[in-house]
Amino acid sequence: VSGESMEGFNINSSFLAQLQLTKQIKSQSAKSRDDIYASAGTALTPDDLKDLPQGLEFADWAYDEDPSGKSLKELLREQGYSLLKHDTTAVPGYLGHYIAISTDPREKKAIIGVKGTSSLEDLITDMCGAAVSYELSEPFVFRGNTTIRAHDGVLISSRRLADDLEPLVRDLLLPQGYKIQIYGHSLGAAGATLLSIFLRSRIPMLRLDDKALRVFAFASPPNLDLDSALACRPFVTTIVNNCDVIPRCNVSPLQINIEVLKVINDKLKEKGLKMSGIKSSAALLRKLQEGEDGEMLLSAEELTNAINSGIEKVGLEDEDHLYVGGDVVLMYDLWENEVDKNVERKEDDNDEKDSEECAEKAVITDGTARALRYIELGEGTRLIDDHMAVSYRLGLRTIVSPQNETNVWE
């Protein structure tokens, strides 16, 4: 954002006002927010998602920290897989992973689990997030480009992983008729996506059959340029949980949020609430003390228009903007339902929550969806909580088996 466009912009007061406004939207106009998610794509049924719960477990097991205390080998054996390799590397620029194959020779399935962020070394890989160009040996899709732009740290680590796994995939698994599925969560999800691109680029057989190699990427950070992210829809599925901030951690959503804050800043200035002196600061504090039931600074329609205007202004094509890859299963909770539950609790004079907040619906879309183009503020720690595997697990459990939640994976 240019210095000229930021002139007179008080980010502190605008940010505080947006936090309050988001809570007010949830309390007073929840449907307007829910509609942004619902309209992001085509609604999915529980049956559409029935394979994802076990897929999340395959991704989560790559951390090798299962609360049951069972080893990765034991967990896989219970699901009918034999562990071939388990690399627990924790070096910046490398990805821990495991490989397993089905014990039933008739199934011919191989799974690769890529570990997400669990150490300082992984965090260093995460932080190398600039978009960089890379020239592939061959296009990873028919008549596609050989040049991709990707997350620098993930590109380096997934290329090294591809160097390691390519001979196994090309010379053993594919000739034996194995179908390959790659799973990852967080950093591991982005690594899984880039790994598939490298393998498809190098192994012609994979480009001939989109079902030969599939990726299921949970909570992936943005990692590919626009064209590449959309081109891998036939073989990559990214799963995003509600307002998880990690799939939105890129330049574009930050720019769009700044555009929304500028609209709020203008409204604060108009109403004399800009914290430019003692009088206006006191007025803003009084406004904030109104809480979620107070008069909204912007109407729900005005806030939606501000978001849409920011999205249109920032655009999609900037070479520094990265997106999550493939088809995107976007899970979301219903603010309308949460408001109703809060009202019921107040009427019952019961302060305790009878259920955890989690995703209740899902749509199929892609990384350009409006709901993924900005960061949803005002939900406390949900930005981070929604990124955790446990939150993905709870959301999938609720959507896939809403009438029998306690019997799923327990």
Side-chain angles (χ1 to χ4, degrees), residues 259-407:
E259 293 299 324
V260 174
L261 286 173
K262 287 162 68 176
V263 172
I264 293 173
N265 182 77
D266 290 342
K267 182 64 71 170
L268 289 172
K269 182 178 180 181
E270 175 187 316
K271 291 183 174 290
L273 302 170
K274 203 180 173 185
M275 288 180 67
S276 56
I278 295 177
K279 184 177 180 180
S280 61
S281 297
L284 177 61
L285 288 175
R286 288 194 297 272
K287 178 67 178 173
L288 295 176
Q289 288 172 350
E290 294 176 5
E292 62 184 35
D293 296 324
E295 181 182 355
M296 293 193 292
L297 187 68
L298 298 175
S299 68
E301 182 179 1
E302 288 174 325
L303 180 59
T304 299
N305 289 340
I307 294 171
N308 290 338
S309 176
I311 289 173
E312 183 177 349
K313 183 172 183 178
V314 172
L316 293 167
E317 302 290 344
D318 192 299
E319 65 175 11
D320 290 325
H321 295 173
L322 298 178
Y323 303 87
V324 295
D327 277 338
V328 175
V329 173
L330 177 58
M331 306 190 298
Y332 62 99
D333 60 0
L334 294 171
W335 279 11
E336 278 195 302
N337 287 356
E338 291 179 21
V339 170
D340 291 341
K341 290 176 183 177
N342 288 337
V343 170
E344 291 174 3
R345 282 194 291 269
K346 288 179 180 179
E347 291 176 350
D348 293 340
D349 196 26
N350 182 2
D351 291 333
E352 294 186 13
K353 293 186 178 182
D354 54 6
S355 63
E356 297 182 69
E357 295 178 345
C358 67
E360 302 171 66
K361 298 287 184 179
V363 297
I364 188 77
T365 182
D366 60 49
T368 68
R370 275 196 311 157
L372 294 174
R373 299 290 312 283
Y374 71 101
I375 299 171
E376 191 172 273
L377 299 175
E379 273 290 89
T381 61
R382 288 291 296 275
L383 294 175
I384 302 301
D385 293 344
D386 281 346
H387 180 66
M388 301 301 151
V390 65
S391 292
Y392 276 77
R393 185 176 293 114
L394 182 58
L396 285 169
R397 181 173 67 182
T398 301
I399 296 171
V400 172
S401 188
Q403 303 304 319
N404 193 25
E405 295 181 12
T406 57
N407 292 330

Side-chain angles (χ1 to χ4, degrees), residues 178-253:
Y178 282 90
K179 300 292 185 182
I180 302 166
Q181 294 184 335
I182 310 177
Y183 299 90
H185 172 267
S186 193
L187 171 63
T193 301
L194 266 294
L195 172 61
S196 71
I197 287 176
F198 281 117
L199 291 176
R200 284 176 60 98
S201 172
R202 299 175 184 183
I203 304 174
M205 186 183 300
L206 294 176
R207 299 196 296 274
L208 297 175
D209 181 6
D210 289 334
K211 295 181 180 180
L213 184 153
R214 296 294 312 279
V215 174
F216 296 92
F218 296 86
S220 174
N223 58 91
L224 286 169
D225 65 88
L226 177 63
D227 291 341
S228 299
L230 297 178
C232 61
R233 292 190 74 172
F235 59 93
V236 173
T237 299
T238 296
I239 300 89
V240 176
N241 180 34
N242 201 50
C243 65
D244 181 354
V245 70
I246 299 302
R248 299 166 170 92
C249 274
N250 196 244
V251 177
S252 175

